[in-house]
Amino acid sequence: MMRAPSTLVFLCSTLLGVQVQGFYLPGVAPQDYARDDTVNLKVNKLSSTKTQLPYDYYSLPYCRPDPIVKSAENLGEVLRGDRIENSLYHIEIRLDEQCKVVCKIDALTAFQAKHFNSKIDDEYRVNMILDNLPVGMVKIREENGLPIKTYERGYPVGFKAAIEEGGEQKHFLHNHLRFTILYHKDIETDLARIVGF
């Protein structure tokens, strides 16, 4: 019985003497940005918990950059089956913008509308990435009478709703996006690091 405390002291003193080093994996190191630096928002796969079958973002007729460039940045993204590509969204650091038009599509063909409708029916979500952080949608839920703020990864392609009470349900697309980007500004260097998206 007397040996256990001395063994514990020896073990703790040995652990305290160990030198520890940390490192960042390629593609996941924090990035510092100056005011007005441009960060490209990347699109990822469309995913659904209902079907488990992922699709490329551009498998739906969203507005596309020319050319579309694939950009898996680290091994984890490849192993997860991420399909990361460039987009038309460009964010300027520490610049508030209101209602910026990225592109316009006059009308969808019947085939395109059917394709969107099937993704809405199967509860597909759009995944995006900014500075290696996934897009999250804020949800407020109640627990024990208190509101709790949670996040859901990605945002739904769209939803179904009736225009009139008791009427036929129709499909609606989420075609307006609003991004809230949280950052930490270093007072000494005036550089910012994105910490939330």
Side-chain angles (χ1 to χ4, degrees):
M1 281 304 227
M2 293 299 283
R3 298 193 86 192
S6 62
T7 305
L8 184 61
V9 169
F10 173 74
L11 182 62
C12 288
S13 64
T14 304
L15 290 176
L16 292 176
V18 174
Q19 186 177 20
V20 178
Q21 294 182 349
F23 66 95
Y24 288 110
L25 295 172
V28 296
Q31 180 75 36
D32 292 324
Y33 298 100
R35 178 184 290 278
D36 300 329
D37 277 355
T38 300
V39 183
N40 296 320
L41 180 68
K42 297 176 184 176
V43 294
N44 198 347
K45 62 189 171 195
L46 304 172
S47 59
S48 168
T49 56
K50 189 173 179 182
T51 69
Q52 301 294 316
L53 182 63
Y55 286 93
D56 286 340
Y57 175 82
Y58 293 115
S59 67
L60 289 176
Y62 288 115
C63 293
R64 305 160 183 261
D66 185 26
I68 295 173
V69 179
K70 297 195 180 302
S71 63
E73 295 181 359
N74 60 52
L75 182 59
E77 292 169 350
V78 174
L79 293 175
R80 277 193 313 268
D82 289 346
R83 299 170 180 181
I84 301 169
E85 299 167 315
N86 60 328
S87 75
L88 293 172
Y89 298 98
H90 303 284
I91 311 294
E92 289 186 48
I93 297 296
R94 294 169 41 200
L95 174 69
D96 287 335
E97 291 185 293
Q98 302 295 321
C99 203
K100 182 177 175 182
V101 176
V102 175
C103 70
K104 290 184 181 182
I105 296 176
D106 293 326
L108 295 175
T109 66
F111 177 77
Q112 291 173 326
K114 183 179 177 183
H115 207 56
F116 269 116
N117 291 349
S118 84
K119 296 299 183 274
I120 292 169
D121 290 339
D122 287 336
E123 300 173 7
Y124 273 89
R125 300 181 72 81
V126 175
N127 296 286
M128 297 178 152
I129 296 174
L130 179 69
D131 195 36
N132 282 317
L133 294 172
V135 67
M137 203 169 113
V138 175
K139 287 286 190 179
I140 304 295
R141 63 181 174 84
E142 201 169 299
E143 190 173 294
N144 298 327
L146 298 171
I148 305 286
K149 184 177 185 179
T150 61
Y151 293 89
E152 288 184 1
R153 191 171 218 167
Y155 67 88
V157 170
F159 61 96
K160 285 171 61 172
I163 296 174
E164 298 173 359
E165 190 174 331
E168 176 188 355
Q169 286 199 332
K170 296 186 180 211
H171 293 84
F172 295 90
L173 292 177
H174 287 291
N175 60 0
H176 289 75
L177 303 177
R178 182 177 143 211
F179 301 110
T180 301
I181 300 166
L182 308 174
Y183 64 89
H184 171 76
K185 185 177 88 166
D186 186 320
I187 296 171
E188 294 175 10
T189 63
D190 198 41
L191 295 175
R193 193 173 275 184
I194 297 172
V195 296
F197 166 54

